[in-house]
Amino acid sequence: MSSALSRLSVNQETVRRLSLPELADGCAKAGVGQVGLWRAPVQEYGIERAGKLMKDAGLTVTSLCRGGFLTASDLAGRARALDDNRAAVDEAAGVGTDTLVLVSGGLPEGDKDLFGARERVADALSELAPYAGERGVRLAIEPLHPMFASDRCVVSTLSQALDLAERFPAEQVGVVVDAYHVWWDDQAPAQIARAGEGGRIHSFQLADWITPLPAGVLVGRGQLGDGSVDFRFFRRHVEATGFDGPIEVEIFNEELWARDGAEVIAEVAARYLEHAC
């Protein structure tokens, strides 16, 4: 692995059609030493088995996606979400990562109270944060672009994410700085600094913003360099806080998924060197 690629992590969803062994092999061939994993394929492969596979391949697991969806307003829904997130914490520990990414969840059907939904996230974190901390896992709240606020994530800015995270110890709860989701926000640099001062940058992710958005906007992320995001700008601000952790490329894109996964990993590495270093 070249020193220039030493911090690059390829998120599994970028090449979602690769099996875990294929992912490990593709990263090794491309000189990538870190990966971000997703729960469903890890569960299917086996938690401990997946962790061993990555370790034996010399790969560091930088994060597990995802926990969260904590906005249910009924007691049964809240209980199910807490149970699922405790399981996600255990899975993160089982595959050998210290970071579980949380997507907060959207508004329950018929609900229009964003503030109340965020408070329910905080209430759930009050139970999950100590549980995660006891297992050596950090919860990383990921703000998503406001277009996802209704159905997927009521936390839309780093400021909102930090308002939640700062209620808990930094070693238990922090944030994800995902350039794709916050590139539009003129407050992002100040909030990155705020996160860094508190030791709360638990994950740094890259994907490009491309237009026009596809009909399924969730899969509208672009390969690095194909869109509007200035990755060096975000890297400078993140690293100015002292952050020297992994830089994870997470792209949801059907055109990339249709291609040869090993080829995509190699392309991600090349684009990372070209646009983010």
Side-chain angles (χ1 to χ4, degrees):
M1 178 176 61
S2 73
S3 59
L5 292 177
S6 63
R7 293 176 60 193
L8 173 62
S9 173
V10 173
N11 187 280
Q12 183 176 11
E13 194 70 359
T14 304
V15 285
R16 67 182 305 178
R17 295 186 181 178
L18 291 185
S19 67
L20 282 169
E22 289 169 339
L23 172 66
D25 184 63
C27 285
K29 289 179 178 176
V32 175
Q34 302 183 99
V35 292
L37 299 180
W38 276 68
R39 291 180 68 194
V42 165
Q43 289 168 350
E44 182 178 352
Y45 193 80
I47 309 300
E48 293 184 4
R49 186 176 173 220
K52 185 177 185 302
L53 172 68
M54 297 301 149
K55 184 177 180 180
D56 290 348
L59 294 171
T60 299
V61 181
T62 55
S63 70
L64 181 68
C65 292
R66 55 181 163 56
F69 289 83
L70 299 167
T71 54
S73 54
D74 62 294
L75 291 177
R78 180 180 184 275
R80 286 193 298 271
L82 289 172
D83 286 345
D84 182 63
N85 278 270
R86 291 188 193 99
V89 168
D90 294 341
E91 291 162 17
V95 296
T97 183
D98 64 358
T99 303
L100 174 66
V101 174
L102 298 186
V103 174
S104 69
L107 290 170
E109 186 174 356
D111 192 342
K112 298 183 180 182
D113 183 5
L114 282 169
F115 298 98
R118 290 186 196 122
E119 281 304 307
R120 290 195 293 276
V121 175
D123 182 61
L125 288 172
S126 69
E127 295 198 30
L128 295 172
Y131 184 90
E134 290 169 0
R135 288 152 181 80
V137 174
R138 309 176 301 179
L139 305 178
I141 302 170
E142 181 172 14
L144 302 194
H145 189 280
M147 67 180 172
F148 297 112
S150 64
D151 65 339
R152 190 165 294 272
C153 189
V154 296
V155 178
S156 301
T157 66
L158 280 169
S159 177
Q160 292 166 0
L162 285 165
D163 286 346
L164 290 169
E166 287 171 352
R167 303 186 192 193
F168 308 96
E171 63 270 18
Q172 293 180 2
V173 186
V175 299
V176 179
V177 178
D178 186 334
Y180 173 81
H181 287 300
V182 302
W183 74 277
W184 57 274
D185 185 359
D186 61 359
Q187 294 301 308
Q191 296 305 315
I192 289 170
R194 173 185 168 190
E197 287 171 3
R200 294 184 187 271
I201 300 178
H202 291 348
S203 180
F204 178 34
Q205 296 184 342
L206 307 180
D208 220 335
W209 182 276
I210 54 175
T211 49
L213 295 172
V217 294
L218 185 64
V219 296
R221 297 185 181 210
Q223 175 64 282
L224 307 188
D226 284 352
S228 305
V229 182
D230 184 342
F231 297 113
R232 292 191 181 93
F233 171 87
F234 279 96
R235 182 167 179 172
R236 283 197 304 271
H237 281 281
V238 168
E239 291 181 346
T241 71
F243 178 86
D244 60 359
I247 302 173
E248 192 170 307
V249 175
E250 182 187 61
I251 304 172
F252 307 162
N253 184 295
E254 290 182 340
E255 291 183 4
L256 289 184
W257 293 340
R259 290 171 50 192
D260 176 78
E263 176 186 288
V264 171
I265 293 172
E267 182 178 279
V268 165
R271 293 292 190 96
Y272 169 81
L273 294 173
E274 181 180 359
H275 298 286
C277 290

